[in-house]
Amino acid sequence: MNLKEIKELIEIVEASSLNEFSLKEGNLKINMKKGGSVSEAAAPAVCEISRPALQEEIPEEDTYIMSPMVGTFYNSPAPDAASYVNVGDTVKKGQTLCIIEAMKLMNEIECEYDAEIISVMVSNEQKVEYGQPLFKVKKI
């Protein structure tokens, strides 16, 4: 749901006789509530939007390499090139794991420690969020 759709939804609720409205769509949750007294009846709706934090969904005992920024994930330096890393690979501290494109800049993401790649958590050209797990690893 984009910002324009949310604004339209707020306008519809404000114009209606509803006092409270809730919507849940995937990870997006919207709650709107109008004031209850007669003097507050013309007050605009209060809108609360919440998304669960990505890091709350991750068990603490697992080790993950997280995205340091918002952008587009690339697993190789070029479309026809081999991936930087694959499941089962052993990587050294400072080795490039992937590229995240942010604002037309290609940012190489390097491993901060020696590790084995257990799982690649995102696919090539996928949009990623700050703090989103990119790789599940086992420290060596």
Side-chain angles (χ1 to χ4, degrees):
M1 182 172 266
N2 63 37
L3 185 59
K4 183 180 176 187
E5 292 173 329
I6 293 172
K7 286 180 180 180
E8 289 174 2
L9 188 59
I10 290 170
E11 290 171 5
I12 292 169
V13 172
E14 284 181 344
S16 74
S17 62
L18 292 173
N19 289 329
E20 193 170 335
F21 176 81
S22 294
L23 171 73
K24 185 173 181 184
E25 185 177 286
N27 287 340
L28 175 69
K29 184 177 179 183
I30 298 175
N31 292 317
M32 289 185 245
K33 193 176 203 179
K34 289 184 184 179
S37 69
V38 176
S39 63
E40 294 177 334
V46 175
C47 183
E48 175 187 317
I49 301 173
S50 64
R51 288 185 185 263
L54 289 173
Q55 293 186 9
E56 291 176 359
E57 299 170 2
I58 300 169
E60 288 184 27
E61 63 273 0
D62 294 329
T63 303
Y64 292 88
I65 296 174
M66 307 295 212
S67 176
M69 64 189 73
V70 173
T72 304
F73 174 89
Y74 294 101
N75 62 4
S76 63
D80 57 342
S83 297
Y84 284 110
V85 295
N86 294 302
V87 174
D89 288 354
T90 300
V91 294
K92 300 286 183 195
K93 180 178 180 176
Q95 182 177 340
T96 301
L97 300 172
C98 64
I99 293 175
I100 296 182
E101 178 186 6
M103 297 177 27
K104 304 288 184 194
L105 293 175
M106 299 298 187
N107 301 282
E108 290 186 350
I109 308 305
E110 297 177 349
C111 194
E112 296 178 9
Y113 38 79
D114 294 348
E116 179 185 349
I117 304 295
I118 304 299
S119 174
V120 180
M121 311 282 296
V122 292
S123 58
N124 194 38
E125 298 183 9
Q126 179 178 335
K127 304 289 185 213
V128 294
E129 301 277 337
Y130 170 80
Q132 179 177 349
L134 301 175
F135 301 93
K136 181 178 180 181
V137 298
K138 179 176 146 185
K139 289 184 182 181
I140 299 176

